[in-house]
Amino acid sequence: MAFNPLNWLLGLFSLDIGIDLGTANTLVNVRGKGIVINEPSWVVIEKKTRIPIKIGLAAKEMIGRTPNNLVAIRPLRDGVISEFEITKAMLEYFIGGAHQQSIVPLPRPRVVVGIPSGATEVEKRAVYDASIAAGARETYLVEEPLAAALGAGLPIREIRGSMIVDIGGGTTELAVFTMDGIIVSRSLRVAGDEMDQDVAQYIRNKYNLFIGERMAEQVKTSIGSAFPLPEEKTMMVRGRNLITGLPQELEISSVEIREALRSALQVIIDTIKEAMDEVPPEILSDLLEEGVCLSGGGSLLLGLADRLADELKVRVWVAEDPMTCVARGAGLVLEDLDGCAQYLVGLERKSPRN
């Protein structure tokens, strides 16, 4: 990467921002400050004009409660942009929020954004264009499993092998690393969202009870599990009875939710097994010693590490603060762009407004 005196001077006085642009949550990591924003990737828009009304946590609180002229949407699906203009507005809001924490006005920031490893060229371009349109001076892209591995502190530069499984809202990303390179990787569009849908469908089929997205997510995070619990849990679920059309409340157990999650979890487990089948024996030996690291919000599912350890026959552990791994990894890339150039997807591009 050629030295540019103007970029060097701007870099001294501008924000460096790492962004985990997730399907479920967007996290912003400002260099020198850490994670300053962690909000849901939800936007409430006016139906006719499609103008954003609320963004982030304020928008998520309105899910299922919006009047007829408004609708709550997620502008990203399966880890990629599905609504370009709304994603741009969301990024402007979050980047602006990071700027507001500065005492003095600063030039537009340099940004590193995590993207799914299975993203197409069109999807990568959409993320880049949205970031530039949202106010970034320079935008770099890094694959999420690599950023997650950096954020989790895995020794990806060393000779010995290491493995990350990053379970987000829209995608599950996994990769095996050694000596700054990826040996095997997979990007699977089965993750937290799919699990929420499975929970809602299970309750609908078994009890004729229709529940919303927020309730399905609450059930999953509160009593969902991947492995039998020492003490099984229950919780009250509220929704609409599909036969009577009236509100109904019922008690559901963690055993039932584990059954609801079985299909999605099995797809993830089978994909990990297939990837490990392609790993050289020497690297598998390293994984037996180092274990497999879990990151992302999905890694917080109760009993998931135990279930994977039982299925894979290796130690499985959850990274410290797993939800922030991608954002922290993107921040580490920004701290040494030249040294991390091999991690970036594509070349540095400039904003046409520069």
Side-chain angles (χ1 to χ4, degrees):
M1 193 177 298
F3 175 74
N4 186 317
L6 177 60
N7 284 345
W8 176 80
L9 185 61
L10 286 171
L12 290 178
F13 300 101
S14 69
L15 289 178
D16 284 344
I17 299 176
I19 299 178
D20 177 7
L21 188 61
T23 304
N25 294 280
T26 295
L27 290 85
V28 177
N29 179 9
V30 175
R31 183 177 179 183
K33 296 183 179 180
I35 306 295
V36 298
I37 294 173
N38 181 357
E39 293 199 35
S41 301
W42 281 92
V43 181
V44 171
I45 62 171
E46 210 279 331
K47 282 184 179 179
K48 290 184 179 179
T49 64
R50 297 185 68 78
I51 295 174
I53 306 299
K54 296 289 184 180
I55 297 175
L57 183 60
K60 186 173 182 179
E61 290 175 346
M62 295 175 67
I63 298 171
R65 300 186 176 96
T66 55
N68 291 335
N69 64 315
L70 303 178
V71 60
I73 66 171
R74 287 198 293 184
L76 295 107
R77 285 288 174 185
D78 298 329
V80 295
I81 293 174
S82 59
E83 297 278 356
F84 180 84
E85 291 298 327
I86 298 171
T87 301
K88 184 189 78 169
M90 187 175 72
L91 278 171
E92 285 178 345
Y93 173 79
F94 290 135
I95 291 175
H99 262 276
Q100 288 174 8
Q101 298 187 29
S102 299
I103 299 175
V104 295
L106 294 171
R108 289 181 289 116
R110 295 189 303 178
V111 174
V112 168
V113 185
I115 59 169
S117 60
T120 65
E121 290 301 317
V122 172
E123 291 165 345
K124 294 172 186 175
R125 168 59 68 172
V127 173
Y128 168 78
D129 287 344
S131 177
I132 290 295
R137 183 176 88 252
E138 302 168 10
T139 295
Y140 305 88
L141 307 179
V142 61
E143 292 184 349
E144 288 176 355
L146 202 150
L150 289 171
L154 295 187
I156 65 173
R157 295 178 182 269
E158 298 181 13
I159 295 176
R160 70 181 190 273
S162 55
M163 184 173 185
I164 189 89
V165 178
D166 182 62
I167 306 174
T171 61
T172 294
E173 308 279 333
L174 63 98
V176 180
F177 304 92
T178 184
M179 293 184 291
D180 264 345
I182 296 177
I183 298 176
V184 178
S185 68
R186 292 285 190 279
S187 182
L188 181 66
R189 298 194 177 187
V190 175
D193 287 351
E194 185 89 5
M195 296 180 196
D196 295 343
Q197 293 167 17
D198 287 349
V199 168
Q201 190 64 43
Y202 178 90
I203 294 173
R204 179 173 184 152
N205 292 342
K206 185 170 182 179
Y207 296 105
N208 289 313
L209 186 70
F210 178 71
I211 64 173
E213 289 183 60
R214 289 191 67 186
M215 178 58 70
E217 184 183 13
Q218 287 174 20
V219 171
K220 180 192 70 177
T221 57
S222 298
I223 65 171
S225 66
F227 207 66
L229 303 175
E231 184 177 343
E232 299 294 349
K233 303 181 178 183
T234 62
M235 75 174 287
M236 301 304 295
V237 178
R238 301 179 182 90
R240 184 176 73 244
N241 187 293
L242 293 171
I243 297 175
T244 66
L246 299 174
Q248 182 183 351
E249 182 179 60
L250 61 85
E251 188 176 50
I252 197 163
S253 74
S254 55
V255 176
E256 293 174 289
I257 302 307
R258 189 159 58 249
E259 174 61 24
L261 297 173
R262 181 178 58 83
S263 177
L265 288 172
Q266 195 58 52
V267 172
I268 293 172
I269 290 167
D270 289 343
T271 302
I272 297 173
K273 287 181 176 179
E274 290 171 8
M276 293 182 76
D277 190 48
E278 298 180 19
V279 175
E282 290 81 4
I283 300 297
L284 284 177
S285 176
D286 294 336
L287 296 183
L288 283 170
E289 182 178 345
E290 299 291 330
V292 173
C293 178
L294 300 182
S295 66
S299 67
L300 298 174
L301 182 69
L302 296 173
L304 181 58
D306 293 334
R307 171 74 182 278
L308 290 177
D310 183 66
E311 294 271 0
L312 304 177
K313 310 305 178 187
V314 298
R315 181 173 69 92
V316 178
W317 52 283
V318 180
E320 181 181 354
D321 199 3
M323 286 191 67
T324 67
C325 283
V326 172
R328 286 187 282 126
L332 290 172
V333 171
L334 269 172
E335 289 181 10
D336 183 16
L337 277 173
D338 291 332
C340 295
Q342 71 272 27
Y343 301 149
L344 301 176
V345 177
L347 300 175
E348 173 188 347
R349 300 179 177 88
K350 304 285 182 65
S351 165
R353 291 178 290 179
N354 252 2

